[in-house]
Structures are given as structure tokens and as C-alpha cells.
Amino acid sequence: MVKKIKLAILGEEPSFPEKIELTQPSTPNLEELTPALQEIIDRRWLTNDGKFLKSFELDLKNYLESSCCRVFCNGTIALNVASRALEFSGEVITTPFTFSATVHSLSWNSLTPVFCDIDPETYNLDPGKLEPLITPKTTGILGVHIFGNPCEVEKIEAIARKHNLKVIYDAAHSFGVKLNGKSIAGFGDASVFSFHATKIFNTLEGGCITCSDLDLNRMIGYLRNFGIRRESDIVEMGINGKMDEFRAAVGGINLKRVSTSIQKREALVMRYKEAFKDILGLNFQKMTEGTSPNYCYFTIKISANEFGLSRDEVYLCMRSEGVMVRKYFWPLCSDFPIYQNLPSARREALPNAVKVSEEILALPLYDELTIEDQDKIINLVKGLCDRSKEIKVALKSLNVDKLNIELVPD
Ligand code: T4K
């Protein structure tokens, strides 16, 4: 007889008394970083287009195979600047299944987000549902390559051309991804990346905008630096989106490790997929054909009827084991109190997004995740189905709201 797995939710020992994070940042090698920091200190040039920023920007441009690249202090400010540089106005169509920053960047520019439903398998904007949302006020489309999965760029851009709309891709998750051999940075009018600590490539905080239009790139440069063209010539209502020298130095060093990170993560993702491939009710994101992925996240979509437990029940079980799984991305942006009254936010109009956000669960994935820990996580997920009846009884008798609050960090 197969031995049942011990479960903390049933009062047994947790698998990870020292919790295991969803992700852990790659950190720069101190031997390389220390001389760079020393040089910055000696030069007394800490920010504002310094030597390290310039060299990092050049390295990025080459890595991302983009003719123009401007580095920012974070991805959110970069998104804000991209919308403004492309002169978005009125309404912009976007996805509700994303991190809040995508949609907030539109509102911060006094634009109205118009939510479009997603494809139930790729989790990206469904191009087939875009056109009915276009009105005389629509000026752009803000697509997100969610979890590094490229949008259907050809279809989206054909629609944009037909209706004279601009396209920005939120490529926060897509650093290093290629589509049919072409860098993901090369699609749309502009692409925006995040270099946050939780990303496959990080500068602690940071981001960039890539584009191919030199005039647009110049405008992005003004907007990043208070709108300053020359000392006495302030041409735009800019913001401070600059990255400092310390972070640029971290970026230059971490960039050398991205391909190793991708390889390590690929091996881990393959192990997850192999382990879960025959488990009823566990589904994987369908990658767009022609994608060379970066394996930035690993998610499972849990069908409660088949698996025996819902996503929320699995979440509670895993959290009580000390595994810091995340419901990326729930709630949907269209369900946030600030957006839920928009006409496009009606849940009936977004059935796929609603379903995916209620079934999705991100599992731990990072370069240094050990095989032993991954095996423990895999065995836990598999072990949950064997004990689903006991778990349901236990959860009924627990105050789940209280448990949920205790398991979610402040
Ligand atoms: N567009 C999209 C589609 C995005 O996903 C994001 C950001 C943006 C735009 C905006 O880009 P940025 O302005 O951030 O550059 C995190 C990140 O803060 C955020 O960057 C990211 N997306 C989002 C998906 O995730 P939280 O609040 O979920 O992160 P947190 O603090 O809960 O950390 C996640 C896990 O990482 C935990 O297990 C803890 C671990 N962790 C985190 C940090 C910061 C570490 O181990 N070490 C660390 O230093 O938002």
C-alpha cells in the first residue's frame, strides 16, 4: 500500500518548517561587485547617465537585440512613460489577468483601461475579442506576455494597424524570451521590461523600454529625466525614472548569468512537468508556438472537479506546509474596487480570465531551488489528491478566513 504523505493541515509535521519562498533573487558575485562599487564611490558619480548606466544600457541593447533601449528605476515607471511617449489618450485595451502595475500605469496617465478577455490556455489577450472593444476613443493596446508567454503579436498588430492604434507590450516577465528566433523586445511600438528582484534578471529594482523608433526613444529619454533636453530647455512634463550607478553595476554583472539561470530553471520546469503530467486536473500554460521561453514562473491550473481539491484548498494546504505558493494573478485587475465599475470589467464579459484566475497557482521556482526541495513540493501536491476527503473535512472545521490571514504575510 502506498504510504500517505504527512500534511500540516491535518495537524501533522509541516514539510518546510523554515518556509520555502516562491522565488529567490539571483544575487551578484561580490568579487565582481565590490570593485565596481569602489569605482563608483571613487568617481563620485552616483546617478544621472553615469558610466555604469551607459555601459549597462549598451549591453542590454545588444542582449535584447533592440535598436533603442532606455533603462529605468523600475518597470512601473517605465510603463507610465511608455504610454505617455506614445501619446496614448482616451481608452486603451488591456488584459485583466496581470499584475496591478500594468493597469495602474494607464490610470496614472488618466487613461481608461478597457478589459479584454484572455485565451483560456495561453492566458494572454485573446485577439479574437479585441475588435468589438475598439471605439472612437481607443488609441492603443497594452498586451502582456504573461509568465513570459508571447502574445499573438501578428494578430494583435494587424488589428492595431487596421484601426491606427499603437501597441505596447508589458514584457515584465519576458526577459530573454524569443519568438521564432526574434527577441521579444522587437514587437509592437515599444516593450517594457522589469528588472525587479523577483525577475529572472534583476537589478534589485529596475526596468527598461525598448523600441525601434529613434524619435520615440528620444522622447522616452526626455520623459525619464524631468523632460530636460538641455539645462535651460525643459520640453516635456517628465518624471524621474533614472537608474543609479550601483544598480546599473549590478545589472552589468547579473546580465552575464541570465542564460545559466534560464538553463537551470528549464531543468526544474521539466521536472515539474514530468511529475505532474499524468495527474488529473492539473494543467499547464500552453506556450505560443515558436517560443524559446525563459522559465520565469511555473504555474499549474487546478480543475477542482478532477483534482479533488480547489486551487484555494491547495493554496491553504501548501502554505500550511511552509511552501509560499502564490495566486498569480488573483484577484483580476478588473475586480479591484477602483476598476470594477468600468463597463468592460463585468465578469460575464471575461469568463476565461475569471476561470484562470480562480484556478491558477504559482509554485516555487528559482535558480537555486534544490532537487530535494522540489521533490518535496512535488510529493506534497501529489499527496494532496490522495487525502482530499480528509483535507476537506479538516478545512470545514477550521476558520478558513482566519487561517488565510495568518498564512498570507502582511
Ligand atoms: N508588469 C507586470 C506583468 C509585472 O508582473 C510587474 C511586476 C510589473 C509590470 C511592474 O514591474 P516593477 O515596477 O515591479 O519593476 C512582485 C514584484 O514586486 C513585482 O515586481 C512583480 N511584477 C510581481 C509579479 O511580483 P509581490 O508583491 O508579489 O512580491 P513579494 O514581495 O511577495 O515577493 C514574491 C516572492 O519573492 C516571495 O516569495 C518573497 C520572494 N522575495 C522577494 C523579494 C522582493 C525574495 O526572496 N527576495 C526579495 O528580495 O510583487
PDB file of all heavy atoms in Angstrom, residues 103 107 111-115 333-334 336-347 350:
ATOM      1  N   VAL A 103      -2.164  47.780 -15.314  1.00  0.00           N
ATOM      2  CA  VAL A 103      -3.390  48.573 -15.459  1.00  0.00           C
ATOM      3  C   VAL A 103      -3.241  49.931 -14.770  1.00  0.00           C
ATOM      4  O   VAL A 103      -3.663  50.965 -15.299  1.00  0.00           O
ATOM      5  CB  VAL A 103      -4.595  47.767 -14.912  1.00  0.00           C
ATOM      6  CG1 VAL A 103      -5.881  48.554 -15.103  1.00  0.00           C
ATOM      7  CG2 VAL A 103      -4.684  46.421 -15.615  1.00  0.00           C
ATOM      8  N   SER A 107      -4.115  54.164 -15.687  1.00  0.00           N
ATOM      9  CA  SER A 107      -4.885  55.105 -14.857  1.00  0.00           C
ATOM     10  C   SER A 107      -4.022  56.288 -14.436  1.00  0.00           C
ATOM     11  O   SER A 107      -4.515  57.420 -14.366  1.00  0.00           O
ATOM     12  CB  SER A 107      -5.411  54.426 -13.608  1.00  0.00           C
ATOM     13  OG  SER A 107      -5.964  53.209 -13.950  1.00  0.00           O
ATOM     14  N   LEU A 111      -5.858  57.503 -18.370  1.00  0.00           N
ATOM     15  CA  LEU A 111      -6.429  56.722 -19.469  1.00  0.00           C
ATOM     16  C   LEU A 111      -7.452  55.752 -18.885  1.00  0.00           C
ATOM     17  O   LEU A 111      -7.342  55.373 -17.717  1.00  0.00           O
ATOM     18  CB  LEU A 111      -5.322  55.922 -20.173  1.00  0.00           C
ATOM     19  CG  LEU A 111      -4.201  56.769 -20.768  1.00  0.00           C
ATOM     20  CD1 LEU A 111      -2.971  55.908 -21.057  1.00  0.00           C
ATOM     21  CD2 LEU A 111      -4.675  57.453 -22.035  1.00  0.00           C
ATOM     22  N   THR A 112      -8.413  55.356 -19.707  1.00  0.00           N
ATOM     23  CA  THR A 112      -9.392  54.374 -19.237  1.00  0.00           C
ATOM     24  C   THR A 112      -8.981  52.990 -19.716  1.00  0.00           C
ATOM     25  O   THR A 112      -8.907  52.745 -20.924  1.00  0.00           O
ATOM     26  CB  THR A 112     -10.798  54.704 -19.794  1.00  0.00           C
ATOM     27  OG1 THR A 112     -11.107  56.039 -19.423  1.00  0.00           O
ATOM     28  CG2 THR A 112     -11.846  53.747 -19.258  1.00  0.00           C
ATOM     29  N   PRO A 113      -8.707  52.082 -18.775  1.00  0.00           N
ATOM     30  CA  PRO A 113      -8.419  50.717 -19.215  1.00  0.00           C
ATOM     31  C   PRO A 113      -9.701  50.040 -19.700  1.00  0.00           C
ATOM     32  O   PRO A 113     -10.746  50.170 -19.065  1.00  0.00           O
ATOM     33  CB  PRO A 113      -7.896  50.027 -17.947  1.00  0.00           C
ATOM     34  CG  PRO A 113      -8.148  50.954 -16.810  1.00  0.00           C
ATOM     35  CD  PRO A 113      -8.672  52.253 -17.319  1.00  0.00           C
ATOM     36  N   VAL A 114      -9.592  49.341 -20.801  1.00  0.00           N
ATOM     37  CA  VAL A 114     -10.724  48.564 -21.305  1.00  0.00           C
ATOM     38  C   VAL A 114     -10.270  47.109 -21.273  1.00  0.00           C
ATOM     39  O   VAL A 114      -9.292  46.742 -21.925  1.00  0.00           O
ATOM     40  CB  VAL A 114     -11.101  49.001 -22.738  1.00  0.00           C
ATOM     41  CG1 VAL A 114     -12.187  48.098 -23.310  1.00  0.00           C
ATOM     42  CG2 VAL A 114     -11.554  50.457 -22.742  1.00  0.00           C
ATOM     43  N   PHE A 115     -10.969  46.306 -20.476  1.00  0.00           N
ATOM     44  CA  PHE A 115     -10.512  44.937 -20.274  1.00  0.00           C
ATOM     45  C   PHE A 115     -11.017  44.002 -21.375  1.00  0.00           C
ATOM     46  O   PHE A 115     -12.204  44.039 -21.722  1.00  0.00           O
ATOM     47  CB  PHE A 115     -10.989  44.414 -18.906  1.00  0.00           C
ATOM     48  CG  PHE A 115     -10.367  45.170 -17.765  1.00  0.00           C
ATOM     49  CD1 PHE A 115     -11.132  46.037 -16.985  1.00  0.00           C
ATOM     50  CD2 PHE A 115      -9.017  45.042 -17.489  1.00  0.00           C
ATOM     51  CE1 PHE A 115     -10.564  46.742 -15.936  1.00  0.00           C
ATOM     52  CE2 PHE A 115      -8.431  45.745 -16.442  1.00  0.00           C
ATOM     53  CZ  PHE A 115      -9.208  46.599 -15.668  1.00  0.00           C
ATOM     54  N   CYS A 333      -7.418  42.265 -12.156  1.00  0.00           N
ATOM     55  CA  CYS A 333      -7.404  43.736 -12.044  1.00  0.00           C
ATOM     56  C   CYS A 333      -8.815  44.298 -12.210  1.00  0.00           C
ATOM     57  O   CYS A 333      -9.176  45.283 -11.569  1.00  0.00           O
ATOM     58  CB  CYS A 333      -6.481  44.343 -13.112  1.00  0.00           C
ATOM     59  SG  CYS A 333      -4.756  43.907 -12.851  1.00  0.00           S
ATOM     60  N   SER A 334      -9.610  43.653 -13.067  1.00  0.00           N
ATOM     61  CA  SER A 334     -10.978  44.153 -13.301  1.00  0.00           C
ATOM     62  C   SER A 334     -11.860  43.985 -12.074  1.00  0.00           C
ATOM     63  O   SER A 334     -12.949  44.555 -12.022  1.00  0.00           O
ATOM     64  CB  SER A 334     -11.583  43.410 -14.491  1.00  0.00           C
ATOM     65  OG  SER A 334     -11.340  42.020 -14.357  1.00  0.00           O
ATOM     66  N   PHE A 336     -10.640  44.760  -9.003  1.00  0.00           N
ATOM     67  CA  PHE A 336     -10.199  45.721  -7.974  1.00  0.00           C
ATOM     68  C   PHE A 336     -11.315  46.757  -7.783  1.00  0.00           C
ATOM     69  O   PHE A 336     -11.925  47.190  -8.770  1.00  0.00           O
ATOM     70  CB  PHE A 336      -8.936  46.487  -8.413  1.00  0.00           C
ATOM     71  CG  PHE A 336      -7.685  45.670  -8.594  1.00  0.00           C
ATOM     72  CD1 PHE A 336      -6.524  46.271  -9.098  1.00  0.00           C
ATOM     73  CD2 PHE A 336      -7.635  44.317  -8.277  1.00  0.00           C
ATOM     74  CE1 PHE A 336      -5.359  45.541  -9.279  1.00  0.00           C
ATOM     75  CE2 PHE A 336      -6.465  43.578  -8.460  1.00  0.00           C
ATOM     76  CZ  PHE A 336      -5.333  44.192  -8.968  1.00  0.00           C
ATOM     77  N   PRO A 337     -11.543  47.203  -6.547  1.00  0.00           N
ATOM     78  CA  PRO A 337     -12.606  48.197  -6.332  1.00  0.00           C
ATOM     79  C   PRO A 337     -12.478  49.411  -7.259  1.00  0.00           C
ATOM     80  O   PRO A 337     -13.477  49.934  -7.743  1.00  0.00           O
ATOM     81  CB  PRO A 337     -12.414  48.607  -4.866  1.00  0.00           C
ATOM     82  CG  PRO A 337     -11.717  47.439  -4.245  1.00  0.00           C
ATOM     83  CD  PRO A 337     -10.889  46.786  -5.315  1.00  0.00           C
ATOM     84  N   ILE A 338     -11.254  49.824  -7.569  1.00  0.00           N
ATOM     85  CA  ILE A 338     -11.086  51.009  -8.420  1.00  0.00           C
ATOM     86  C   ILE A 338     -11.469  50.776  -9.883  1.00  0.00           C
ATOM     87  O   ILE A 338     -11.660  51.732 -10.627  1.00  0.00           O
ATOM     88  CB  ILE A 338      -9.619  51.523  -8.396  1.00  0.00           C
ATOM     89  CG1 ILE A 338      -8.656  50.354  -8.326  1.00  0.00           C
ATOM     90  CG2 ILE A 338      -9.410  52.549  -7.323  1.00  0.00           C
ATOM     91  CD1 ILE A 338      -7.213  50.751  -8.436  1.00  0.00           C
ATOM     92  N   TYR A 339     -11.529  49.522 -10.311  1.00  0.00           N
ATOM     93  CA  TYR A 339     -11.846  49.255 -11.726  1.00  0.00           C
ATOM     94  C   TYR A 339     -13.163  48.510 -11.924  1.00  0.00           C
ATOM     95  O   TYR A 339     -13.665  48.418 -13.041  1.00  0.00           O
ATOM     96  CB  TYR A 339     -10.719  48.438 -12.384  1.00  0.00           C
ATOM     97  CG  TYR A 339      -9.371  49.129 -12.349  1.00  0.00           C
ATOM     98  CD1 TYR A 339      -8.255  48.514 -11.785  1.00  0.00           C
ATOM     99  CD2 TYR A 339      -9.217  50.411 -12.870  1.00  0.00           C
ATOM    100  CE1 TYR A 339      -7.022  49.152 -11.748  1.00  0.00           C
ATOM    101  CE2 TYR A 339      -7.983  51.062 -12.833  1.00  0.00           C
ATOM    102  CZ  TYR A 339      -6.896  50.423 -12.267  1.00  0.00           C
ATOM    103  OH  TYR A 339      -5.680  51.062 -12.232  1.00  0.00           O
ATOM    104  N   GLN A 340     -13.734  47.954 -10.852  1.00  0.00           N
ATOM    105  CA  GLN A 340     -14.839  47.019 -11.043  1.00  0.00           C
ATOM    106  C   GLN A 340     -16.110  47.651 -11.615  1.00  0.00           C
ATOM    107  O   GLN A 340     -16.959  46.947 -12.152  1.00  0.00           O
ATOM    108  CB  GLN A 340     -15.156  46.272  -9.740  1.00  0.00           C
ATOM    109  CG  GLN A 340     -15.703  47.156  -8.655  1.00  0.00           C
ATOM    110  CD  GLN A 340     -15.858  46.410  -7.329  1.00  0.00           C
ATOM    111  OE1 GLN A 340     -15.546  45.225  -7.232  1.00  0.00           O
ATOM    112  NE2 GLN A 340     -16.316  47.100  -6.311  1.00  0.00           N
ATOM    113  N   ASN A 341     -16.199  48.987 -11.556  1.00  0.00           N
ATOM    114  CA  ASN A 341     -17.397  49.612 -12.124  1.00  0.00           C
ATOM    115  C   ASN A 341     -17.250  50.012 -13.591  1.00  0.00           C
ATOM    116  O   ASN A 341     -18.183  50.536 -14.194  1.00  0.00           O
ATOM    117  CB  ASN A 341     -17.812  50.836 -11.291  1.00  0.00           C
ATOM    118  CG  ASN A 341     -18.306  50.390  -9.924  1.00  0.00           C
ATOM    119  OD1 ASN A 341     -18.918  49.322  -9.823  1.00  0.00           O
ATOM    120  ND2 ASN A 341     -18.007  51.161  -8.888  1.00  0.00           N
ATOM    121  N   LEU A 342     -16.101  49.760 -14.151  1.00  0.00           N
ATOM    122  CA  LEU A 342     -15.935  50.031 -15.582  1.00  0.00           C
ATOM    123  C   LEU A 342     -16.821  49.073 -16.373  1.00  0.00           C
ATOM    124  O   LEU A 342     -16.937  47.889 -15.998  1.00  0.00           O
ATOM    125  CB  LEU A 342     -14.475  49.819 -16.003  1.00  0.00           C
ATOM    126  CG  LEU A 342     -13.462  50.834 -15.491  1.00  0.00           C
ATOM    127  CD1 LEU A 342     -12.037  50.350 -15.777  1.00  0.00           C
ATOM    128  CD2 LEU A 342     -13.687  52.189 -16.157  1.00  0.00           C
ATOM    129  N   PRO A 343     -17.419  49.544 -17.482  1.00  0.00           N
ATOM    130  CA  PRO A 343     -18.293  48.636 -18.249  1.00  0.00           C
ATOM    131  C   PRO A 343     -17.562  47.365 -18.696  1.00  0.00           C
ATOM    132  O   PRO A 343     -18.143  46.279 -18.701  1.00  0.00           O
ATOM    133  CB  PRO A 343     -18.694  49.481 -19.469  1.00  0.00           C
ATOM    134  CG  PRO A 343     -18.400  50.898 -19.106  1.00  0.00           C
ATOM    135  CD  PRO A 343     -17.356  50.900 -18.038  1.00  0.00           C
ATOM    136  N   SER A 344     -16.272  47.487 -19.023  1.00  0.00           N
ATOM    137  CA  SER A 344     -15.543  46.301 -19.526  1.00  0.00           C
ATOM    138  C   SER A 344     -15.150  45.348 -18.407  1.00  0.00           C
ATOM    139  O   SER A 344     -14.591  44.281 -18.672  1.00  0.00           O
ATOM    140  CB  SER A 344     -14.289  46.745 -20.270  1.00  0.00           C
ATOM    141  OG  SER A 344     -13.388  47.362 -19.369  1.00  0.00           O
ATOM    142  N   ALA A 345     -15.395  45.733 -17.146  1.00  0.00           N
ATOM    143  CA  ALA A 345     -14.955  44.892 -16.030  1.00  0.00           C
ATOM    144  C   ALA A 345     -15.981  43.828 -15.632  1.00  0.00           C
ATOM    145  O   ALA A 345     -15.718  43.019 -14.741  1.00  0.00           O
ATOM    146  CB  ALA A 345     -14.635  45.772 -14.820  1.00  0.00           C
ATOM    147  N   ARG A 346     -17.121  43.815 -16.298  1.00  0.00           N
ATOM    148  CA  ARG A 346     -18.156  42.829 -15.952  1.00  0.00           C
ATOM    149  C   ARG A 346     -17.588  41.415 -16.064  1.00  0.00           C
ATOM    150  O   ARG A 346     -17.010  41.049 -17.092  1.00  0.00           O
ATOM    151  CB  ARG A 346     -19.363  42.958 -16.893  1.00  0.00           C
ATOM    152  CG  ARG A 346     -20.236  44.184 -16.645  1.00  0.00           C
ATOM    153  CD  ARG A 346     -21.394  44.236 -17.633  1.00  0.00           C
ATOM    154  NE  ARG A 346     -20.939  44.092 -19.009  1.00  0.00           N
ATOM    155  CZ  ARG A 346     -21.149  43.023 -19.784  1.00  0.00           C
ATOM    156  NH1 ARG A 346     -21.816  41.983 -19.315  1.00  0.00           N
ATOM    157  NH2 ARG A 346     -20.703  42.979 -21.021  1.00  0.00           N
ATOM    158  N   ARG A 347     -17.789  40.636 -15.041  1.00  0.00           N
ATOM    159  CA  ARG A 347     -17.212  39.280 -15.026  1.00  0.00           C
ATOM    160  C   ARG A 347     -17.772  38.404 -16.145  1.00  0.00           C
ATOM    161  O   ARG A 347     -17.068  37.555 -16.686  1.00  0.00           O
ATOM    162  CB  ARG A 347     -17.447  38.623 -13.661  1.00  0.00           C
ATOM    163  CG  ARG A 347     -16.559  39.242 -12.573  1.00  0.00           C
ATOM    164  CD  ARG A 347     -16.973  38.790 -11.188  1.00  0.00           C
ATOM    165  NE  ARG A 347     -16.619  37.406 -10.902  1.00  0.00           N
ATOM    166  CZ  ARG A 347     -15.442  36.994 -10.437  1.00  0.00           C
ATOM    167  NH1 ARG A 347     -14.498  37.863 -10.210  1.00  0.00           N
ATOM    168  NH2 ARG A 347     -15.214  35.718 -10.190  1.00  0.00           N
ATOM    169  N   LEU A 350     -15.731  38.435 -19.157  1.00  0.00           N
ATOM    170  CA  LEU A 350     -14.336  37.987 -19.010  1.00  0.00           C
ATOM    171  C   LEU A 350     -14.282  36.546 -18.472  1.00  0.00           C
ATOM    172  O   LEU A 350     -13.559  36.257 -17.509  1.00  0.00           O
ATOM    173  CB  LEU A 350     -13.594  38.930 -18.051  1.00  0.00           C
ATOM    174  CG  LEU A 350     -13.623  40.419 -18.406  1.00  0.00           C
ATOM    175  CD1 LEU A 350     -13.155  41.277 -17.225  1.00  0.00           C
ATOM    176  CD2 LEU A 350     -12.741  40.697 -19.627  1.00  0.00           C
TER     177      LEU A 350
END
